[in-house]
Structure formats: structure tokens, C-alpha cells
Amino acid sequence: MQEDRKALVIFGSTGDLALTKLFPALFRLFNDGNIPEMLDIIAMSRQPLSDEAFIEQLVHHIHEADTTQLQAFIAKITLLTCDIHDRDSFQPLHALVAPSALAIYYYAIPPRLFGKVTDQLHVSGCLNDHSRVVVEKPLGHDLMSARAIHDELSSRLSESQIFRIDHYLGKEAVQNLMALRFGNAIFEPLWRAARIRYIQITVAESVGVGDRADYYDRTGALRDMIQNHLLQLLCILAMEPPARLSPDAVRDEKLKVLQALRPIEAHEVVRKTVRGQYAPSSSSEVLGYLQERGVAGGSVTETFVALKAEINNWRWAGMPIYLRTGKRLHSKCSEVVIQFSDVPIKLFETSGSQMLSNRLVIRLQPHESIKLFVNAKTSGRGMRLEPNALNLDFCDEGKMRRWTAYERLFLDIIAGDLTLFLRSSEIEAAWSWVDPIIEGWEQHMPNPERYSVGSWGPSASDQLLARDGYIWLNSEGQ
């Protein structure tokens, strides 16, 4: 065994996730000199594939690459064919990873295969106490199936060896949010229900289900997005300051937020949740969800969810948090809006109908940024105010290439840093909150409301906020 040698093994290397996200991220790290020289990359393919055919796929998905660097990167990759149901298929892998001090196994495969692959790795001698396994969502379809996945993994691995990835936590703006909160004293007195009117979290997509229809039609927007990405963003926003930036300290505080979420009971779903499904628009030739290839006829799977959440703790009690996600919406946008309270007395005039309350907007995509909207005097006579944005994103695109989420998370995996990865208790707490909503829909809202392609969702979504006197803010908090 070589002390510094490491192996990164990617199962599902010819799949969409590996080709479009994982290998491009690894190449960028390699191109910038951030991949350890002693790291070997092993691509596992279920179907027999020639080296030339695999390289052709890689080149197709790694754009704007220097040819020399790309060839050097490809030289680090070894392609193996492996039938996960055949124990003998793992022997060539064992021969490659055995000399390594650390082997990392990335499961870019369906969760139903997690247990089988883990067992085969164990039996073939590829797993040891230093091995790490990275798993992608969906981590369960409900609480029971999530526990079953955890049981399969934990039968061969300790909790510290399992890296449950949520790529949203690797985004620059999300990590800047933690820095903003816990590295600046000025925000702490304001970061509570007494100083914030509401929080909105939106993850909107302009595309449809595409070639994911088979998976999506069995899953829906609530399971696909709310249960993981949006609830994780909510945890970062609402958590208490950890005692230290250690993995357990950070994840302990996130878990407390999930456990403090006020349950949405079955009889409350009609008033506190909205579920929708995109339909053709008269002004567009884009297909509706029911016309997408692979979608079951008469499907009631939701492609849009909006809901009102509340956190029952001393910091946040009584303040609404609105979550929204959907496909085929007006534009692609992922952002968090924190609307601060109004000033006690409005002394000044405003330009037009602009609101005077301050607003913090954290945009995750398409262009990551953090902006604080404050009121300033307009030019000329009198004291008329208008909102102005202070850009708090200090990453100058002209000077520094922005890392992708997977790049950061890959380096954390190699370093063994679990801070930005989910613990099993977080997964279970999230499902414990989501499952009653699904049950409530089955009883009281069996059919999703239709919304037109290119809109911002069903009209009921606007009514959800209107009942509290608010509106959705659709573009950088505007």
C-alpha cells in the first residue's frame, strides 16, 4: 500500500450525471492543479465499452478544454467494465485500489443499487475502515425507504464514511451566506422573526422534465426538490451559530431546524400548500407535462410546489417562510429573499410604489450573487427615496474563475470534510416533515392545478402569499 496513493472510483461513469457534472468538474480541478498527483480515477461501466468510445464521450462533454491538458487528464482515468451482480467483476477493481491508502467510491447510480454495490465491494475486499462512499439523491421515496437505504449502507460503513451529497450546499452563494451570517456581527441582531417579515426561497426552472420523465413521474417536485435542496437552504438560513465549524457542530444545528419545523397536517394542506402541473400555453408550442414522452396518461404528478413553512423556536416563531419550486416556469432562477421589517414611521416619500423595507437577496443561479437593497435619496430637491443595491459578492468574474459546486465538494470528499454533506438524521427529519404533506394531498388535493408553460405557476401560489399580504418576488428580489 502506497501511503499517499488515492483512488476515486465512479460507478455509472457513462451516465448523464457523471458525463455532464462529475468528469467536467474533475477536469477543471485537474486543469487548475487542484487534483492530487497521486489520485487515480477509475471509471466503472456496466456495459462493455472501448477506451476510444469512452474518451469520445468525455471529450464531447468537457468543453473549451486545452487539448494537451485534456489528454493528460484522460491519461489519469482507467476504464473498467463491471457487472455489479457478478462478484468476479470486482477483482480487477480490487487489484487497482488495493495499493491505495484511500479509496473513494462515487455512486452515480440508482439508489436501488447502493446496497448491492456496497456488499460486492465489501466481499471483494475493496472496502476498509478508510474507504469513503459518496451517494446522490434520491435518498428514499419516503421515510421508510430512506431508512432502508441507510440500513444497507450502514451495514458495511460507519456514518463518517458516508458522504450524502447535495450539490446546492457547494454553491458559492450558499457558503457566502454562512460567512455573511457568522462572520459579520451587524446581521446577528437582525436575523430573527422580530426584524424579518418573511423569507422566500425559490428554485425555478424554465425547462421541462426532458429525458427524466420516467424518474420524475414517480417522484414529483416535492420529493425531487423541496425535501432536499430547499430544506437544506432553509437550514443554512435559520440555523443557530455552531460552536465551531466542525462537521458535527454544523450538522447538529441544521438538524435542530428540521426538527423545529411546524408540521403541516393533512387538513392544512389546502391552505398552506399549492401543487401544480404545467400545461400547454396558447402562445407557445411547448408541450404540457401530460404530453411529455414517458409520462403516464392522466398522471397527477406535481411539477410545481409552493408552501408556507414555519419554524417553532425562539428565533423564528411566527414568521412565514415561503418555499417555491417548479418546471416550465417563466425563467431559470434560484434565489433567497429576506424581507426585513419596515421602519416604525415612514418619514420620506418613495419613488413610484417601491417598498421602503430593506431586502437581502441571495441568488444561486444563473449568476451567483448577494445583494442588499437599502434606501437612498434620489438626486434633486426634497427627500424622496428609492432602493439601491449593494453588491456583496466579492468574486470578480473578470479576475477569478467561479468554481462549480461539484468542484468544491470533490475536494471536501478527498479531504474527508463532512461539513457540507448530509447526516442520516437530517434525511429522516426532512422526510418526517414531507410525508404528512404527501398524505394530505392524497386525501384533500389529489389533482394538481394546471398552470401555463412560461408562467410563474398556478394562481393559487399567488393567493398563498396574498392571504398574508405579500407577493412573490420574481427577479433578484424585485
Side-chain angles (χ1 to χ4, degrees), residues 258-313:
L258 293 169
Q259 292 174 333
L261 281 172
R262 184 184 181 278
I264 297 179
E265 305 292 346
H267 68 277
E268 297 178 300
V269 296
V270 174
R271 185 170 180 81
K272 290 191 173 183
T273 74
V274 177
R275 65 191 302 241
Q277 186 184 92
Y278 63 84
S281 168
S282 58
S283 59
S284 172
E285 296 181 358
V286 177
L287 297 176
Y289 180 72
L290 294 179
Q291 289 76 49
E292 297 277 15
R293 181 183 299 177
V295 172
S299 171
V300 294
T301 298
E302 78 282 354
T303 62
F304 177 96
V305 176
L307 56 84
K308 176 182 177 180
E310 298 171 274
I311 301 173
N312 283 342
N313 63 19

Short mmCIF file of all heavy atoms in Angstrom, two decimals, residues 258-313:
data_model
loop_
_atom_site.label_atom_id
_atom_site.label_comp_id
_atom_site.label_asym_id
_atom_site.label_seq_id
_atom_site.Cartn_x
_atom_site.Cartn_y
_atom_site.Cartn_z
N LEU A 258 -34.67 21.43 11.22
CA LEU A 258 -35.61 20.46 10.65
C LEU A 258 -36.56 19.92 11.71
O LEU A 258 -37.76 19.73 11.46
CB LEU A 258 -34.84 19.32 9.99
CG LEU A 258 -34.03 19.69 8.74
CD1 LEU A 258 -33.11 18.54 8.34
CD2 LEU A 258 -34.95 20.06 7.59
N GLN A 259 -36.04 19.67 12.89
CA GLN A 259 -36.88 19.15 13.97
C GLN A 259 -37.85 20.20 14.50
O GLN A 259 -38.88 19.84 15.08
CB GLN A 259 -35.99 18.63 15.10
CG GLN A 259 -35.20 17.38 14.72
CD GLN A 259 -34.21 16.96 15.79
OE1 GLN A 259 -33.72 17.79 16.57
NE2 GLN A 259 -33.89 15.67 15.84
N ALA A 260 -37.53 21.48 14.29
CA ALA A 260 -38.39 22.56 14.77
C ALA A 260 -39.44 23.00 13.75
O ALA A 260 -40.29 23.84 14.06
CB ALA A 260 -37.54 23.77 15.19
N LEU A 261 -39.39 22.45 12.54
CA LEU A 261 -40.40 22.80 11.54
C LEU A 261 -41.79 22.42 12.03
O LEU A 261 -42.01 21.30 12.46
CB LEU A 261 -40.10 22.08 10.22
CG LEU A 261 -39.02 22.67 9.33
CD1 LEU A 261 -38.72 21.73 8.18
CD2 LEU A 261 -39.41 24.03 8.80
N ARG A 262 -42.70 23.38 11.95
CA ARG A 262 -44.07 23.09 12.37
C ARG A 262 -44.71 22.13 11.37
O ARG A 262 -44.71 22.38 10.17
CB ARG A 262 -44.89 24.38 12.41
CG ARG A 262 -46.31 24.20 12.94
CD ARG A 262 -47.07 25.50 12.85
NE ARG A 262 -48.42 25.36 13.38
CZ ARG A 262 -49.44 24.86 12.69
NH1 ARG A 262 -49.27 24.43 11.46
NH2 ARG A 262 -50.64 24.78 13.25
N PRO A 263 -45.23 20.99 11.82
CA PRO A 263 -45.83 20.03 10.89
C PRO A 263 -47.00 20.65 10.14
O PRO A 263 -47.77 21.45 10.69
CB PRO A 263 -46.31 18.89 11.80
CG PRO A 263 -45.51 19.04 13.06
CD PRO A 263 -45.26 20.50 13.22
N ILE A 264 -47.13 20.31 8.86
CA ILE A 264 -48.30 20.68 8.08
C ILE A 264 -49.21 19.46 8.06
O ILE A 264 -48.94 18.47 7.38
CB ILE A 264 -47.91 21.11 6.65
CG1 ILE A 264 -47.03 22.37 6.70
CG2 ILE A 264 -49.16 21.38 5.81
CD1 ILE A 264 -46.56 22.85 5.33
N GLU A 265 -50.25 19.53 8.85
CA GLU A 265 -51.15 18.38 8.98
C GLU A 265 -51.99 18.20 7.71
O GLU A 265 -52.11 19.12 6.89
CB GLU A 265 -52.06 18.57 10.19
CG GLU A 265 -51.34 18.84 11.50
CD GLU A 265 -50.54 17.64 11.99
OE1 GLU A 265 -50.78 16.52 11.46
OE2 GLU A 265 -49.72 17.81 12.90
N ALA A 266 -52.57 17.01 7.57
CA ALA A 266 -53.32 16.68 6.36
C ALA A 266 -54.41 17.70 6.08
O ALA A 266 -54.61 18.12 4.93
CB ALA A 266 -53.92 15.28 6.49
N HIS A 267 -55.14 18.16 7.13
CA HIS A 267 -56.24 19.09 6.91
C HIS A 267 -55.76 20.50 6.59
O HIS A 267 -56.57 21.36 6.22
CB HIS A 267 -57.15 19.12 8.15
CG HIS A 267 -56.51 19.72 9.36
ND1 HIS A 267 -55.69 18.99 10.18
CD2 HIS A 267 -56.55 20.98 9.88
CE1 HIS A 267 -55.25 19.76 11.17
NE2 HIS A 267 -55.75 20.96 11.01
N GLU A 268 -54.44 20.77 6.71
CA GLU A 268 -53.92 22.11 6.45
C GLU A 268 -53.34 22.27 5.05
O GLU A 268 -52.99 23.38 4.64
CB GLU A 268 -52.81 22.44 7.46
CG GLU A 268 -53.27 22.50 8.91
CD GLU A 268 -52.11 22.79 9.85
OE1 GLU A 268 -51.15 21.99 9.88
OE2 GLU A 268 -52.17 23.83 10.54
N VAL A 269 -53.22 21.19 4.29
CA VAL A 269 -52.52 21.28 3.00
C VAL A 269 -53.25 22.19 2.02
O VAL A 269 -52.61 22.86 1.20
CB VAL A 269 -52.31 19.88 2.38
CG1 VAL A 269 -51.39 19.04 3.24
CG2 VAL A 269 -53.64 19.18 2.11
N VAL A 270 -54.57 22.25 2.07
CA VAL A 270 -55.32 23.09 1.13
C VAL A 270 -54.98 24.55 1.33
O VAL A 270 -54.89 25.31 0.35
CB VAL A 270 -56.84 22.85 1.30
CG1 VAL A 270 -57.63 23.82 0.43
CG2 VAL A 270 -57.19 21.42 0.94
N ARG A 271 -54.75 24.96 2.57
CA ARG A 271 -54.48 26.37 2.86
C ARG A 271 -52.99 26.70 2.82
O ARG A 271 -52.61 27.81 2.49
CB ARG A 271 -55.06 26.74 4.23
CG ARG A 271 -54.92 28.22 4.57
CD ARG A 271 -55.70 28.58 5.82
NE ARG A 271 -55.57 30.01 6.13
CZ ARG A 271 -56.27 30.97 5.55
NH1 ARG A 271 -57.16 30.67 4.63
NH2 ARG A 271 -56.09 32.23 5.90
N LYS A 272 -52.14 25.73 3.13
CA LYS A 272 -50.72 26.04 3.28
C LYS A 272 -49.83 25.52 2.16
O LYS A 272 -48.63 25.78 2.16
CB LYS A 272 -50.21 25.48 4.62
CG LYS A 272 -50.77 26.22 5.82
CD LYS A 272 -50.05 25.82 7.09
CE LYS A 272 -50.49 26.68 8.26
NZ LYS A 272 -49.75 26.34 9.49
N THR A 273 -50.40 24.78 1.22
CA THR A 273 -49.59 24.25 0.12
C THR A 273 -50.31 24.44 -1.21
O THR A 273 -51.54 24.57 -1.26
CB THR A 273 -49.27 22.75 0.30
OG1 THR A 273 -50.44 21.97 0.03
CG2 THR A 273 -48.78 22.45 1.71
N VAL A 274 -49.52 24.45 -2.26
CA VAL A 274 -50.04 24.51 -3.64
C VAL A 274 -49.29 23.47 -4.45
O VAL A 274 -48.06 23.36 -4.35
CB VAL A 274 -49.82 25.91 -4.27
CG1 VAL A 274 -50.30 25.93 -5.72
CG2 VAL A 274 -50.49 27.00 -3.44
N ARG A 275 -50.01 22.69 -5.23
CA ARG A 275 -49.35 21.76 -6.14
C ARG A 275 -49.90 21.99 -7.54
O ARG A 275 -51.12 22.13 -7.74
CB ARG A 275 -49.53 20.30 -5.70
CG ARG A 275 -50.94 19.76 -5.69
CD ARG A 275 -51.03 18.41 -4.99
NE ARG A 275 -50.18 17.41 -5.59
CZ ARG A 275 -50.63 16.27 -6.13
NH1 ARG A 275 -51.93 16.02 -6.17
NH2 ARG A 275 -49.79 15.38 -6.63
N GLY A 276 -48.99 22.06 -8.51
CA GLY A 276 -49.41 22.36 -9.87
C GLY A 276 -48.73 21.45 -10.88
O GLY A 276 -47.81 20.70 -10.56
N GLN A 277 -49.22 21.54 -12.11
CA GLN A 277 -48.66 20.74 -13.21
C GLN A 277 -48.73 21.60 -14.47
O GLN A 277 -49.77 22.17 -14.80
CB GLN A 277 -49.47 19.46 -13.39
CG GLN A 277 -48.91 18.49 -14.40
CD GLN A 277 -49.82 17.29 -14.60
OE1 GLN A 277 -50.70 17.29 -15.48
NE2 GLN A 277 -49.65 16.26 -13.77
N TYR A 278 -47.59 21.71 -15.18
CA TYR A 278 -47.58 22.62 -16.34
C TYR A 278 -48.39 22.05 -17.50
O TYR A 278 -48.42 20.85 -17.75
CB TYR A 278 -46.16 22.99 -16.76
CG TYR A 278 -45.25 21.90 -17.25
CD1 TYR A 278 -45.27 21.47 -18.58
CD2 TYR A 278 -44.30 21.32 -16.40
CE1 TYR A 278 -44.39 20.49 -19.04
CE2 TYR A 278 -43.42 20.34 -16.84
CZ TYR A 278 -43.47 19.93 -18.17
OH TYR A 278 -42.61 18.97 -18.62
N ALA A 279 -49.06 22.97 -18.18
CA ALA A 279 -49.93 22.63 -19.30
C ALA A 279 -49.57 23.52 -20.48
O ALA A 279 -48.95 24.57 -20.31
CB ALA A 279 -51.40 22.84 -18.89
N PRO A 280 -49.93 23.12 -21.70
CA PRO A 280 -49.59 23.93 -22.86
C PRO A 280 -50.18 25.33 -22.76
O PRO A 280 -51.27 25.53 -22.22
CB PRO A 280 -50.20 23.16 -24.04
CG PRO A 280 -50.42 21.78 -23.54
CD PRO A 280 -50.68 21.91 -22.07
N SER A 281 -49.44 26.30 -23.29
CA SER A 281 -49.92 27.68 -23.34
C SER A 281 -50.40 27.99 -24.74
O SER A 281 -49.85 27.49 -25.72
CB SER A 281 -48.79 28.64 -22.94
OG SER A 281 -49.14 29.97 -23.23
N SER A 282 -51.42 28.82 -24.84
CA SER A 282 -51.95 29.17 -26.16
C SER A 282 -50.95 29.94 -26.99
O SER A 282 -51.03 29.97 -28.22
CB SER A 282 -53.23 30.01 -25.99
OG SER A 282 -52.96 31.18 -25.23
N SER A 283 -49.97 30.57 -26.33
CA SER A 283 -48.98 31.38 -27.04
C SER A 283 -47.66 30.64 -27.24
O SER A 283 -46.67 31.23 -27.64
CB SER A 283 -48.72 32.68 -26.26
OG SER A 283 -48.24 32.39 -24.96
N SER A 284 -47.63 29.34 -26.92
CA SER A 284 -46.39 28.59 -27.02
C SER A 284 -46.66 27.21 -27.61
O SER A 284 -47.74 26.63 -27.43
CB SER A 284 -45.74 28.44 -25.63
OG SER A 284 -44.64 27.56 -25.67
N GLU A 285 -45.66 26.70 -28.32
CA GLU A 285 -45.78 25.35 -28.88
C GLU A 285 -45.15 24.31 -27.96
O GLU A 285 -45.08 23.12 -28.32
CB GLU A 285 -45.10 25.31 -30.25
CG GLU A 285 -45.77 26.21 -31.29
CD GLU A 285 -45.10 26.12 -32.64
OE1 GLU A 285 -44.09 25.39 -32.75
OE2 GLU A 285 -45.58 26.77 -33.59
N VAL A 286 -44.71 24.71 -26.78
CA VAL A 286 -44.08 23.79 -25.84
C VAL A 286 -45.12 22.82 -25.29
O VAL A 286 -46.24 23.20 -24.96
CB VAL A 286 -43.41 24.56 -24.69
CG1 VAL A 286 -42.80 23.60 -23.67
CG2 VAL A 286 -42.33 25.49 -25.23
N LEU A 287 -44.74 21.57 -25.17
CA LEU A 287 -45.66 20.54 -24.68
C LEU A 287 -45.99 20.74 -23.20
O LEU A 287 -45.17 21.24 -22.43
CB LEU A 287 -45.04 19.15 -24.86
CG LEU A 287 -44.75 18.68 -26.29
CD1 LEU A 287 -44.05 17.34 -26.25
CD2 LEU A 287 -46.04 18.60 -27.10
N GLY A 288 -47.18 20.31 -22.84
CA GLY A 288 -47.53 20.24 -21.44
C GLY A 288 -46.95 18.98 -20.83
O GLY A 288 -46.45 18.09 -21.53
N TYR A 289 -47.04 18.86 -19.50
CA TYR A 289 -46.45 17.70 -18.83
C TYR A 289 -47.07 16.39 -19.31
O TYR A 289 -46.36 15.41 -19.55
CB TYR A 289 -46.61 17.84 -17.32
CG TYR A 289 -46.02 16.68 -16.54
CD1 TYR A 289 -44.65 16.53 -16.43
CD2 TYR A 289 -46.85 15.73 -15.93
CE1 TYR A 289 -44.10 15.46 -15.73
CE2 TYR A 289 -46.30 14.66 -15.24
CZ TYR A 289 -44.92 14.53 -15.14
OH TYR A 289 -44.39 13.47 -14.45
N LEU A 290 -48.36 16.37 -19.48
CA LEU A 290 -49.04 15.13 -19.87
C LEU A 290 -48.70 14.70 -21.29
O LEU A 290 -48.94 13.54 -21.66
CB LEU A 290 -50.56 15.29 -19.71
CG LEU A 290 -51.07 15.48 -18.29
CD1 LEU A 290 -52.58 15.64 -18.27
CD2 LEU A 290 -50.65 14.30 -17.40
N GLN A 291 -48.14 15.62 -22.08
CA GLN A 291 -47.76 15.28 -23.45
C GLN A 291 -46.28 14.88 -23.55
O GLN A 291 -45.82 14.49 -24.62
CB GLN A 291 -48.01 16.47 -24.39
CG GLN A 291 -49.48 16.75 -24.66
CD GLN A 291 -50.17 17.45 -23.50
OE1 GLN A 291 -49.66 18.45 -22.97
NE2 GLN A 291 -51.32 16.94 -23.10
N GLU A 292 -45.55 14.96 -22.45
CA GLU A 292 -44.12 14.61 -22.47
C GLU A 292 -43.95 13.11 -22.65
O GLU A 292 -44.72 12.30 -22.10
CB GLU A 292 -43.45 15.05 -21.16
CG GLU A 292 -43.45 16.55 -20.91
CD GLU A 292 -42.33 17.27 -21.63
OE1 GLU A 292 -41.71 16.68 -22.55
OE2 GLU A 292 -42.06 18.43 -21.28
N ARG A 293 -42.94 12.72 -23.42
CA ARG A 293 -42.66 11.31 -23.63
C ARG A 293 -42.25 10.65 -22.31
O ARG A 293 -41.39 11.16 -21.59
CB ARG A 293 -41.52 11.14 -24.65
CG ARG A 293 -41.17 9.68 -24.94
CD ARG A 293 -40.00 9.59 -25.90
NE ARG A 293 -40.30 10.23 -27.17
CZ ARG A 293 -39.41 10.34 -28.17
NH1 ARG A 293 -38.18 9.87 -28.01
NH2 ARG A 293 -39.75 10.93 -29.30
N GLY A 294 -42.87 9.54 -21.99
CA GLY A 294 -42.54 8.81 -20.76
C GLY A 294 -43.45 9.11 -19.59
O GLY A 294 -43.36 8.45 -18.55
N VAL A 295 -44.33 10.11 -19.73
CA VAL A 295 -45.26 10.45 -18.65
C VAL A 295 -46.52 9.60 -18.79
O VAL A 295 -47.09 9.48 -19.88
CB VAL A 295 -45.62 11.95 -18.68
CG1 VAL A 295 -46.74 12.26 -17.68
CG2 VAL A 295 -44.39 12.79 -18.38
N ALA A 296 -46.94 9.00 -17.69
CA ALA A 296 -48.13 8.15 -17.71
C ALA A 296 -49.37 8.97 -18.04
O ALA A 296 -49.52 10.11 -17.60
CB ALA A 296 -48.30 7.46 -16.36
N GLY A 297 -50.28 8.38 -18.82
CA GLY A 297 -51.52 9.05 -19.16
C GLY A 297 -52.34 9.38 -17.92
O GLY A 297 -52.52 8.54 -17.05
N GLY A 298 -52.82 10.62 -17.85
CA GLY A 298 -53.61 11.03 -16.70
C GLY A 298 -52.81 11.21 -15.42
O GLY A 298 -53.37 11.25 -14.32
N SER A 299 -51.50 11.34 -15.53
CA SER A 299 -50.64 11.49 -14.34
C SER A 299 -51.04 12.70 -13.50
O SER A 299 -51.37 13.76 -14.02
CB SER A 299 -49.18 11.63 -14.78
OG SER A 299 -48.35 11.96 -13.67
N VAL A 300 -51.01 12.52 -12.19
CA VAL A 300 -51.29 13.63 -11.27
C VAL A 300 -50.00 14.05 -10.54
O VAL A 300 -50.06 14.69 -9.50
CB VAL A 300 -52.38 13.23 -10.25
CG1 VAL A 300 -53.71 13.02 -10.94
CG2 VAL A 300 -51.98 12.00 -9.44
N THR A 301 -48.86 13.71 -11.10
CA THR A 301 -47.59 14.12 -10.51
C THR A 301 -47.45 15.63 -10.59
O THR A 301 -47.71 16.24 -11.64
CB THR A 301 -46.42 13.47 -11.25
OG1 THR A 301 -46.52 12.05 -11.11
CG2 THR A 301 -45.08 13.93 -10.70
N GLU A 302 -47.04 16.24 -9.50
CA GLU A 302 -46.88 17.70 -9.47
C GLU A 302 -45.52 18.11 -10.04
O GLU A 302 -44.51 17.47 -9.77
CB GLU A 302 -47.04 18.24 -8.04
CG GLU A 302 -45.86 18.08 -7.12
CD GLU A 302 -45.71 16.68 -6.55
OE1 GLU A 302 -46.60 15.86 -6.79
OE2 GLU A 302 -44.69 16.43 -5.88
N THR A 303 -45.53 19.17 -10.86
CA THR A 303 -44.29 19.76 -11.37
C THR A 303 -44.03 21.11 -10.71
O THR A 303 -43.05 21.78 -11.04
CB THR A 303 -44.36 19.93 -12.89
OG1 THR A 303 -45.44 20.84 -13.22
CG2 THR A 303 -44.61 18.59 -13.58
N PHE A 304 -44.90 21.52 -9.81
CA PHE A 304 -44.77 22.79 -9.09
C PHE A 304 -45.26 22.60 -7.67
O PHE A 304 -46.27 21.93 -7.43
CB PHE A 304 -45.62 23.88 -9.78
CG PHE A 304 -45.61 25.21 -9.07
CD1 PHE A 304 -44.75 26.22 -9.47
CD2 PHE A 304 -46.49 25.47 -8.02
CE1 PHE A 304 -44.74 27.45 -8.82
CE2 PHE A 304 -46.49 26.69 -7.36
CZ PHE A 304 -45.61 27.68 -7.77
N VAL A 305 -44.53 23.18 -6.73
CA VAL A 305 -44.96 23.19 -5.33
C VAL A 305 -44.66 24.55 -4.73
O VAL A 305 -43.58 25.12 -4.95
CB VAL A 305 -44.22 22.11 -4.49
CG1 VAL A 305 -44.61 22.22 -3.01
CG2 VAL A 305 -44.52 20.72 -5.00
N ALA A 306 -45.60 25.08 -4.01
CA ALA A 306 -45.37 26.25 -3.16
C ALA A 306 -45.98 25.94 -1.81
O ALA A 306 -47.04 25.30 -1.73
CB ALA A 306 -46.01 27.51 -3.77
N LEU A 307 -45.32 26.35 -0.76
CA LEU A 307 -45.88 26.10 0.56
C LEU A 307 -45.38 27.13 1.58
O LEU A 307 -44.38 27.81 1.35
CB LEU A 307 -45.55 24.67 1.02
CG LEU A 307 -44.10 24.20 1.07
CD1 LEU A 307 -43.43 24.63 2.37
CD2 LEU A 307 -44.03 22.68 0.93
N LYS A 308 -46.11 27.21 2.64
CA LYS A 308 -45.77 28.12 3.74
C LYS A 308 -45.28 27.29 4.91
O LYS A 308 -46.00 26.45 5.44
CB LYS A 308 -47.01 28.93 4.15
CG LYS A 308 -46.80 29.83 5.35
CD LYS A 308 -48.10 30.56 5.70
CE LYS A 308 -47.95 31.42 6.95
NZ LYS A 308 -49.23 32.12 7.28
N ALA A 309 -44.04 27.53 5.29
CA ALA A 309 -43.43 26.80 6.41
C ALA A 309 -43.24 27.74 7.59
O ALA A 309 -43.14 28.96 7.42
CB ALA A 309 -42.09 26.20 5.99
N GLU A 310 -43.17 27.16 8.77
CA GLU A 310 -42.91 27.91 10.00
C GLU A 310 -41.97 27.11 10.88
O GLU A 310 -42.04 25.87 10.91
CB GLU A 310 -44.20 28.21 10.74
CG GLU A 310 -45.19 29.08 9.96
CD GLU A 310 -46.54 29.17 10.64
OE1 GLU A 310 -47.37 28.26 10.39
OE2 GLU A 310 -46.74 30.10 11.42
N ILE A 311 -41.10 27.81 11.59
CA ILE A 311 -40.15 27.17 12.50
C ILE A 311 -40.54 27.52 13.93
O ILE A 311 -40.57 28.70 14.30
CB ILE A 311 -38.71 27.61 12.21
CG1 ILE A 311 -38.33 27.28 10.77
CG2 ILE A 311 -37.74 26.96 13.18
CD1 ILE A 311 -36.99 27.83 10.35
N ASN A 312 -40.84 26.52 14.72
CA ASN A 312 -41.28 26.74 16.09
C ASN A 312 -40.09 26.76 17.05
O ASN A 312 -39.81 25.80 17.76
CB ASN A 312 -42.27 25.66 16.52
CG ASN A 312 -43.65 25.87 15.94
OD1 ASN A 312 -43.98 26.97 15.51
ND2 ASN A 312 -44.45 24.83 15.92
N ASN A 313 -39.34 27.85 17.02
CA ASN A 313 -38.32 28.06 18.03
C ASN A 313 -38.27 29.55 18.40
O ASN A 313 -38.99 30.36 17.82
CB ASN A 313 -36.94 27.54 17.58
CG ASN A 313 -36.39 28.25 16.35
OD1 ASN A 313 -36.81 29.36 16.00
ND2 ASN A 313 -35.47 27.61 15.67
#
